[in-house]
Amino acid sequence: MQSPSEKILDPVVSPLLIGTIHDQLREYDGKRVGDPRPCPNCDSTNLRKNGYQQAAKTFARLVTRNGFEEVGLEVQQYECKDCGHSFQGDLSEHFYENCEYAKPIVDLCRFHAADNSYHACERILQQRYGLQVDRDTVKRYAERLEGEPLQRADIAVGGRKISLPFLAFVFGENLEDSPHFVLTGHRALW
């Protein structure tokens, strides 16, 4: 795979919005996750903690002025006392099975892939949200999770769709509650 080229943010989308998204996602960096689960080898629950995974699990990859920035979670490892098998803790709260990025990022890929080509999705994620996900990964997620339910609520900013469920995740609000911001035309009132 080639190295990704330099990314340029969409001038219509507020740098303040992208900066806020980045700040909120950075709060996950270094967070420790991985609740105990039965041993995948023998189904035993007789476990002991076995440190943390050496490399952080990628939650998101941010596009910044200085290049890419990884936001990663520390994953708890366990060892089965019965069979000696070592494995990761339960990550289902944050990740879909066999997905590199966290659920909100995967859902964002799926949201935009429903109406755009995979190449366009890569560009949209980068320009509107300041996130790096390559087109092949977007395609894999769209195909792997096809048929899974997905919230499709959106708002328009400068004539461009932005995922409301993703913004709700980032800002920690339920969709039913009143949002922290109000969009009027091309202006955002915070």
Side-chain angles (χ1 to χ4, degrees):
M1 180 171 104
Q2 296 179 6
S3 297
S5 60
E6 182 180 349
K7 306 297 182 184
I8 300 167
L9 301 175
D10 189 338
V12 174
V13 177
S14 167
L16 178 62
L17 175 62
I18 291 174
T20 303
I21 289 170
H22 284 186
D23 289 344
Q24 294 296 320
L25 290 173
R26 283 183 184 113
E27 289 185 11
Y28 286 87
D29 197 37
K31 182 178 177 182
R32 293 184 165 189
V33 297
D35 293 328
R37 63 184 177 115
C39 174
N41 191 45
C42 70
D43 213 30
S44 171
T45 56
N46 188 16
L47 313 172
R48 73 171 188 84
K49 289 185 176 182
N50 193 22
Y52 286 88
Q53 188 173 301
Q54 191 168 4
K57 175 99 169 126
T58 304
F59 190 84
R61 184 172 289 131
L62 312 179
V63 177
T64 68
R65 294 186 189 278
N66 300 324
F68 300 123
E69 179 183 333
E70 298 280 332
V71 174
L73 302 176
E74 292 185 26
V75 179
Q76 179 69 58
Q77 295 287 105
Y78 293 91
E79 182 178 352
C80 178
K81 290 182 181 179
D82 293 336
C83 72
H85 184 72
S86 185
F87 58 95
Q88 291 181 338
D90 182 15
L91 299 177
S92 63
E93 178 183 346
H94 299 287
F95 294 90
Y96 291 113
E97 193 171 330
N98 299 319
C99 289
E100 176 184 353
Y101 295 104
K103 284 181 177 180
I105 308 304
V106 173
D107 288 343
L108 190 60
C109 293
R110 294 172 56 215
F111 172 83
H112 286 290
D115 298 328
N116 300 282
S117 70
Y118 303 127
H119 185 77
C121 287
E122 177 182 8
R123 190 174 54 253
I124 288 167
L125 293 171
Q126 170 258 304
Q127 291 176 340
R128 295 184 196 167
Y129 304 92
L131 298 171
Q132 171 61 34
V133 182
D134 69 80
R135 69 175 186 259
D136 295 331
T137 302
V138 172
K139 178 181 179 186
R140 230 180 5 260
Y141 293 161
E143 290 172 351
R144 182 177 297 152
L145 298 169
E146 186 175 14
E148 294 287 324
L150 176 68
Q151 284 186 306
R152 295 272 309 149
D154 61 70
I155 57 173
V157 176
R160 292 165 170 80
K161 282 185 186 179
I162 296 184
S163 169
L164 196 54
F166 178 75
L167 292 178
F169 162 77
V170 167
F171 295 107
E173 292 292 322
N174 291 325
L175 293 176
E176 297 82 33
D177 296 339
S178 57
H180 283 277
F181 55 90
V182 178
L183 296 173
T184 59
H186 297 289
R187 294 194 177 110
L189 305 174
W190 299 85

